[in-house]
């Protein structure tokens, strides 16, 4: 069995600015010792290449660095060149396809080019064990034994001790979660993977066939030479990490614990910890714990300072507290924003909330909806799942919720007078959706292919709720109202098959007893109640609120849980303790609407308590609402997706309409902060980021179409509140520019 070490040279090393730049990223710099990190990696993996060859995958811009640094070591390797960076999943696919063409029985050892592992022998011993473990058709990752509860790394939960199947991958956590993971035996996710190439390609074809197809089309023909340039077709591969594309979804992933010294040298504090990273001429007096790097021809002098990183490069100097080294990424992003905006660009102080809303509406009207109305719609009228940063459609499937949500979005665009062409988009989209997703029982299946073939015939309550919301919104906008009423009546009647004798509705997809699907059903029936006040919608809304009052909302804490047992008591284990700030805000918004319709004082008071619980999930440093709390309202996952920001905004606005005096002012200030937080995610192009890490760095995944529903719903509430609260125009804040 031949072994092919694959060195992945992607990544920009932004947190190590200004030494690391896009033109010369950290793996090609002598950060530690006389050799670059790339050269150290080559030396470390070279003895593993039994019967195979070293493979390096890098961008065209870095070809010279790779070739020169390999030559300096006297080592030969195969070089695969990417025309553009598409993250680790396409890169690993390219290497696996190339190796499989050379030797289909080979095993690949995927390693990063920029990790610090001083004990090469210990590394080689563990990898040799992993190669043997991968033989039966497994993908083995190395899980590093944690030495401290840090938020700098992702974590892996093994199922058992030793070599073990992976129970789950966990995003970079907050401090409290990191401490818990350390105590519970979790491992750090090193990002090293060992697998037979046939096994890896099989999982890629199962979970990301579009990537395999795009990369295969870009693979050059076999020929002489050691440089293999991927063609421009590589840019068609969606940009996604291997963790999201395969590792978090496959049942073939195993983890092997490793205990050698390891660091990904992600920031200057990690570099300083090695004790070997100082460079250049430094004159110091009483300056303990500092890391100083001075470029040739520069001098750095310090006196009476401690624990600083000082990196002096021609044209740029960084000075930062080593305890705050992760913040460098944000500084680089801000520099980029200023460069794009030009003189005087960026956020402005003293702008009224009305002006912020105006800018937000302009972004929606002139950028987002036109982009998604053009590139986010298939030739058959169906709506695409996501768009990458180049506006290329991503995903070869269609989910029911996305089809319904996009119909909601474009119905409002038409109603607001933003484009006559949006009505035909809604009509064609819903017609195609009905043709491909409608089941014989009157409910809609979850997922189909782009050609309409069934992938998942489940009719989830969640999806039916969005069908009802889409039809109500289209009817209110005057888009084929009779047809929308017939569809809604049929769907509501068909939902009786999901109604439970103990109250509420069963969710056939996923966990059967949950609050979330009921929340969206409440939103939908309230929309229909506004159109048909004498219909069955009122009783349905009241039943959902009754269930929330009796079971979903904790009587003592005032917070809302997510998952329940059959008797509507909290589910056992972690699921029953989960509290999502975004859903506290969303239920607060809905209960306020329902309470005003019914004149029910309990509902408005419950909404205020829910909002206060949601506020426990606000991160003042990043200015965003995080994803998860536990039942003690302590952070459980500090990752921050886009959608909780919109729900924070909607809840603050509607509660401000019901408040007076200082409380109204406080809620409007909270709404302004929520709009600023939302603005962090929005891109001028009309796209957006979806996930913000605990380190303040956005992921690089495509923009999911499903987020547009949340964004437009927030805009709708802003319009309503602007009309209801006159003094909103006088509040000042920062402009949201979507950059």
């Amino acid at each position: 069995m031949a072994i092919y070490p694959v060195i992945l040279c992607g990544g920009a090393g932004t947190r190590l600015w200004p030494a690391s730049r896009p033109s010369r990223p950290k793996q090609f710099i002598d950060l530690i010792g006389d050799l670059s990190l790339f050269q150290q990696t080559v030396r470390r993996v070279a003895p593993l290449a039994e019967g195979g060859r070293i493979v390096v995958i890098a961008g065209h811009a870095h070809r010279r660095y790779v070739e020169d640094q390999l030559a300096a070591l006297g080592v030969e390797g195969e070089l695969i060149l990417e025309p553009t960076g598409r993250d680790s999943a396409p890169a690993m696919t390219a290497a696996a396809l190339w190796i499989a063409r050379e030797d289909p029985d080979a095993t690949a050892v995927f390693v990063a080019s920029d990790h610090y592992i001083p004990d090469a022998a210990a590394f080689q011993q563990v990898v040799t064990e992993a190669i043997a473990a991968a033989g039966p058709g497994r993908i083995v990752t190395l899980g590093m034994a944690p030495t401290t509860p840090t938020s700098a790394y992702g974590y892996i939960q093994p199922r058992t001790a030793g070599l073990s199947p992976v129970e789950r991958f966990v995003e970079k956590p907050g401090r409290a979660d990191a401490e818990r993971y350390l105590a519970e035996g979790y491992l750090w996710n090193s990002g090293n993977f060992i697998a037979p190439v046939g096994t890896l390609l099989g999982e890629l074809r199962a979970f990301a066939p579009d990537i395999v197809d795009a990369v295969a089309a870009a693979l050059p023909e076999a020929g002489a030479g050691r440089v293999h340039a991927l063609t421009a077709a590589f840019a068609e591969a969606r940009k996604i990490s291997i963790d999201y594309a395969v590792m978090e979804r496959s049942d073939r992933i195993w983890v092997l614990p490793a205990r050698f010294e390891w660091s990904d040298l992600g920031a200057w504090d990690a570099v300083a910890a090695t004790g070997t990273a100082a460079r250049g001429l430094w004159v110091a007096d009483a300056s303990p714990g500092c890391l100083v790097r001075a470029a040739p021809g520069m001098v750095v002098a310090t006196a009476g300072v401690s624990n600083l990183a000082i990196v002096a490069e021609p044209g740029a100097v960084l000075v930062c507290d080593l305890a705050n080294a992760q913040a460098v990424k944000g500084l680089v992003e801000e520099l980029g924003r200023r460069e794009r905006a030009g003189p005087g660009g960026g956020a402005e102080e003293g702008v009224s909330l009305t002006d912020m809303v105006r800018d937000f509406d302009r972004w929606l009207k002139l950028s987002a909806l036109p982009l998604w109305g053009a590139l986010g719609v298939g030739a058959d009228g169906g709506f695409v799942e996501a768009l990458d940063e180049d506006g290329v459609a991503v995903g070869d499937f269609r989910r029911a919720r996305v089809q319904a949500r996009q119909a909601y979005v474009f119905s409002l665009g038409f109603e607001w007078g933003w484009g006559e062409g949006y009505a035909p988009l809604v009509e064609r989209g819903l017609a195609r959706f009905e043709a491909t997703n409608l089941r014989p029982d009157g409910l809609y299946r979850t997922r189909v292919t782009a050609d309409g073939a069934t992938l998942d015939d489940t009719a989830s309550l969640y999806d039916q709720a969005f069908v009802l919301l889409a039809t109500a919104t289209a009817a209110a906008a005057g888009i084929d109202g009779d047809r929308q009423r017939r569809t809604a009546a049929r769907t509501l009647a068909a939902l009786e098959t999901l109604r439970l004798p103990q109250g509420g509705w069963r969710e056939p997809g996923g966990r059967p007893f949950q609050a979330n699907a009921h929340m969206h059903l409440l939103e939908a029936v309230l929309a229909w109640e506004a159109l048909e006040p004498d219909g069955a919608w009122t009783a349905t809304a009241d039943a959902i609120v009754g269930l929330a009052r009796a079971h979903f909302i904790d009587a003592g804490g005032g917070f809302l849980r997510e998952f329940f047992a059959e008797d509507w008591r909290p589910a056992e284990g972690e699921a029953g303790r989960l509290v999502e700030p975004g859903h506290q805000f969303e239920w607060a918004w809905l209960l306020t609407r329902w309470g005003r319709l019914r004149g029910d004082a309990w509902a408005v008071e419950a909404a205020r308590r829910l909002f206060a619980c949601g506020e426990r999930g606000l991160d003042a440093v990043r200015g965003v609402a995080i994803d998860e709390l536990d039942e003690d309202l302590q952070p459980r996952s500090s990752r921050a997706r886009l959608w909780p920001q919109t729900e924070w905004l909607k809840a603050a606005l509607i509660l401000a309409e019901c408040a007076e005096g200082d409380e109204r002012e406080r809620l409007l200030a909270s709404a302004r902060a929520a709009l600023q937080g939302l603005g962090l995610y929005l891109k001028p192009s009309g796209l957006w980021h979806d996930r913000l890490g605990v380190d303040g760095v956005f992921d690089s995944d495509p923009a999911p179409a499903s987020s547009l529903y949340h964004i437009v719903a927030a805009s709708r509430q802003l319009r309503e509140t602007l009309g209801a609260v006159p003094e909103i125009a006088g509040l000042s804040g920062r402009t949201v520019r979507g950059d």
Side-chain angles (χ1 to χ4, degrees):
M1 178 181 61
I3 307 300
Y4 285 75
V6 180
I7 303 175
L8 303 171
C9 284
T14 312
R15 292 179 189 83
L16 295 178
W17 180 89
S20 178
R21 308 284 185 98
S23 59
R24 189 194 59 175
K26 69 173 183 177
Q27 57 264 35
F28 301 116
I29 302 171
D30 58 342
L31 276 178
I32 307 295
D34 296 331
L35 299 177
S36 72
L37 294 174
F38 169 72
Q39 289 175 307
Q40 292 179 36
T41 302
V42 171
R43 279 194 171 176
R44 191 164 56 246
V45 302
L48 298 169
E50 297 180 4
R53 299 189 289 282
I54 291 175
V55 178
V56 180
I57 184 159
H60 273 286
H62 303 142
R63 174 177 177 174
R64 178 176 58 83
Y65 286 120
V66 173
E67 292 181 323
D68 289 352
Q69 294 191 7
L70 283 174
L73 295 175
V75 175
E76 291 185 339
E78 305 290 335
L79 175 56
I80 299 175
L81 294 175
E82 300 173 298
T84 183
R86 307 307 292 161
D87 215 324
S88 58
M92 290 174 64
T93 302
L97 286 170
W98 185 88
I99 294 169
R101 191 169 64 187
E102 297 289 308
D103 185 348
D105 297 322
T107 291
V109 178
F110 293 93
V111 300
S113 61
D114 55 1
H115 288 182
Y116 173 64
I117 303 174
D119 191 343
F123 168 83
Q124 292 157 8
Q125 179 180 347
V126 172
V127 171
T128 300
E129 293 177 29
I131 291 169
R138 299 166 178 159
I139 300 173
V140 179
T141 184
L142 303 185
M144 309 309 303
T147 57
T148 182
T150 177
S151 298
Y153 303 132
Y155 285 72
I156 297 172
Q157 182 184 16
R159 192 170 299 169
T160 61
L163 176 67
S164 163
V166 171
E167 185 67 26
R168 65 170 179 149
F169 289 85
V170 182
E171 297 280 348
K172 294 176 181 178
R175 177 74 183 188
D177 282 337
E179 291 176 350
R180 179 164 59 87
Y181 295 157
L182 188 66
E184 292 177 359
Y186 285 52
L187 302 167
W188 284 337
N189 184 356
S190 72
N192 296 292
F193 298 98
I194 298 92
V197 290
T199 299
L200 178 61
L201 288 172
E203 295 302 274
L204 281 162
R205 290 188 177 102
F207 297 109
D210 58 308
I211 293 177
V212 178
D213 291 342
V215 176
L219 200 67
E221 303 233 353
R226 294 189 176 274
V227 178
H228 317 282
L230 299 169
T231 71
F234 186 73
E236 299 299 318
R238 62 185 156 110
K239 192 173 185 180
I240 187 171
S241 72
I242 194 67
D243 285 352
Y244 287 133
V246 172
M247 302 306 168
E248 294 184 4
R249 305 165 69 186
S250 171
D251 60 2
R252 291 179 176 269
I253 314 304
W254 288 57
V255 61
L256 179 65
R259 298 188 178 279
F260 51 76
E261 186 179 353
W262 168 86
S263 172
D264 70 354
L265 297 182
W268 285 115
D269 57 343
V271 175
T274 68
T276 60
R279 295 288 185 276
L281 183 54
W282 173 32
V283 179
D285 179 25
S287 302
C290 289
L291 167 65
V292 174
R293 294 175 64 95
M298 304 185 74
V299 179
V300 173
T302 61
V305 296
S306 60
N307 299 311
L308 295 179
I310 303 174
V311 184
E313 292 281 331
V317 176
L318 169 73
V319 179
C320 80
D321 190 320
L322 284 169
N324 201 32
Q326 295 291 332
V328 174
K329 173 78 171 179
L331 296 177
V332 175
E333 290 179 345
E334 176 61 24
L335 284 171
R337 281 193 288 267
R338 294 187 183 188
E339 290 172 357
R340 290 193 301 271
E348 299 173 6
E349 300 289 350
V351 179
S352 72
L353 186 52
T354 304
D355 289 338
M356 295 173 67
V357 175
R358 179 201 63 214
D359 286 350
F360 180 45
D361 263 5
R362 284 177 177 169
W363 176 82
L364 266 177
K365 179 181 179 180
L366 302 179
S367 297
L369 261 66
L371 175 71
W372 288 87
L375 302 181
V377 184
D380 60 358
F383 300 108
V384 306
E385 281 287 317
L387 293 175
D388 70 11
E389 62 185 9
D390 298 318
V392 176
V394 174
D396 58 353
F397 58 88
R398 292 177 181 169
R399 292 181 297 164
R401 63 196 60 182
V402 169
Q403 304 307 303
R405 284 181 171 191
Q406 294 298 76
Y408 165 91
V409 163
F410 290 113
S411 293
L412 287 177
F414 175 70
E415 181 181 334
W416 294 341
W418 286 0
E420 292 293 324
Y422 293 146
L425 284 183
V426 174
E427 291 174 338
R428 289 189 67 213
L430 289 178
R432 177 61 178 171
F433 174 59
E434 185 156 328
T436 59
N437 289 68
L438 182 61
R439 305 191 327 173
D441 62 359
L443 297 176
Y444 292 83
R445 58 181 58 94
T446 295
R447 185 188 298 239
V448 299
T449 68
D451 295 329
T454 299
L455 289 173
D456 185 347
D457 198 49
T458 305
S460 74
L461 178 63
Y462 187 100
D463 289 341
Q464 314 316 306
F466 277 106
V467 172
L468 291 172
L469 180 62
T471 53
T473 312
I479 303 174
D480 202 355
D482 290 341
R483 181 174 184 175
Q484 311 308 339
R485 285 178 167 83
R486 289 194 299 271
T487 299
R490 183 191 66 224
T491 304
L492 184 64
L495 279 177
E496 287 301 307
T497 61
L498 302 181
R499 192 184 283 269
L500 296 165
Q502 66 270 40
W505 286 258
R506 176 173 55 89
E507 174 57 278
R511 294 182 177 272
F513 310 105
Q514 59 169 264
N516 189 19
H518 287 83
M519 177 184 72
H520 288 298
L521 184 59
L522 177 59
E523 179 184 12
V525 298
L526 287 177
W528 270 112
E529 181 181 337
L531 296 174
E532 299 178 352
D534 297 326
W537 311 106
T538 299
T540 304
D542 292 351
I544 297 170
V545 172
L547 192 64
R549 183 172 187 172
H551 298 292
F552 296 165
I553 299 174
D554 185 87
F559 57 85
L560 181 131
R561 300 180 192 269
E562 297 293 326
F563 300 114
F564 301 86
E566 188 172 358
D567 59 0
W568 290 117
R569 294 186 181 184
E572 294 184 357
E574 290 297 313
R577 292 190 284 271
L578 173 63
V579 177
E580 295 192 21
H583 286 158
Q584 311 305 301
F585 295 135
E586 204 162 358
W587 276 98
W589 174 68
L590 284 166
L591 286 180
T592 303
R593 291 175 58 196
W594 181 88
R596 293 195 304 196
L597 287 170
R598 306 292 189 268
D600 190 308
W602 168 85
V604 178
E605 180 55 34
R608 292 193 183 103
R609 294 187 71 189
L610 286 168
F611 185 83
C613 293
E615 287 182 303
R616 295 286 294 273
L618 299 182
D619 181 345
V621 175
R622 290 175 293 166
V624 294
I626 66 173
D627 283 358
E628 296 178 2
L629 303 172
D630 59 27
E631 61 186 351
D632 296 323
L633 302 185
Q634 296 300 311
R636 174 166 158 169
S637 171
S638 294
R639 189 180 68 173
R641 295 191 64 189
L642 179 150
W643 71 265
Q645 320 316 316
T646 65
E647 307 318 304
W648 171 20
L649 175 59
K650 287 159 54 182
L653 288 167
I654 201 168
L655 286 171
E657 294 177 19
C658 304
E660 297 178 351
D662 291 345
E663 180 62 9
R664 171 176 282 188
E665 185 175 344
R666 186 188 78 81
L667 287 165
L668 289 175
S670 184
R672 185 176 65 235
L675 187 53
Q676 290 175 203
L678 174 59
L680 298 174
Y681 292 77
L682 309 181
K683 301 180 181 180
S685 62
L687 298 173
W688 44 81
H689 301 285
D690 182 41
R691 295 179 175 89
L692 178 65
V694 295
D695 56 1
V697 179
F698 286 105
D699 69 4
S700 58
D701 287 351
S706 58
S707 298
L708 192 52
Y709 147 76
H710 290 285
I711 296 168
V712 170
S715 177
R716 189 180 198 179
Q717 184 59 55
L718 278 163
R719 287 165 167 262
E720 294 176 3
T721 303
L722 277 170
V725 184
E727 63 264 38
I728 199 171
L731 293 177
S732 295
R734 296 172 66 89
T735 302
V736 176
R737 294 189 178 277
D739 60 0

